[in-house]
Amino acid sequence: GLASGPKGGTRAAYVRYLKAHFPTLCSAVGAETFYERYRNAAVHEFSLKAGYAIGRDSGLKGAYTDTQLISDTGETITLLNIDRLVSDFLSHVEGLLARAKTRKAP
């Protein structure tokens, strides 16, 4: 809802929103990549795209993304730090709420 666009324009609106409000995420994984490989895949396909996964901050040691070799398959995957993404999103929402309260204050 925060990044919705007109019919046929949701992707572009979402990517613009990411670039404007989540620059660290965009520099780590790219706005288009995040939209296509994580967000869009999870929402519409109930899974992430092949070669992409999420990981916890404890394993990623603060990095937004990292790659990992899966020894069983020989595949290299890109991990996204889900804890960091959630923290950044909640911080963003808190900022929106604070601005909304400021506008309503007498």
Side-chain angles (χ1 to χ4, degrees), residues 48-53 67-79:
L48 302 179
K49 292 289 187 180
Y52 292 85
T67 57
Q68 183 177 42
L69 176 65
I70 306 301
S71 58
D72 291 346
T73 64
E75 177 186 19
T76 299
I77 61 169
T78 299
L79 293 166

Side-chain angles (χ1 to χ4, degrees), residues 49-106:
K49 292 289 187 180
Y52 292 85
I54 56 174
R56 302 302 305 255
D57 191 60
S58 58
L60 292 166
K61 299 176 179 43
Y64 228 124
T65 61
D66 199 359
T67 57
Q68 183 177 42
L69 176 65
I70 306 301
S71 58
D72 291 346
T73 64
E75 177 186 19
T76 299
I77 61 169
T78 299
L79 293 166
L80 176 71
N81 187 333
I82 194 67
D83 296 313
R84 191 153 174 206
L85 177 63
V86 168
S87 177
D88 285 356
F89 178 75
L90 292 176
S91 178
H92 175 64
V93 170
E94 287 171 5
L96 294 173
L97 291 172
R99 283 193 291 273
K101 286 179 184 178
T102 301
R103 289 185 198 137
K104 290 182 181 180

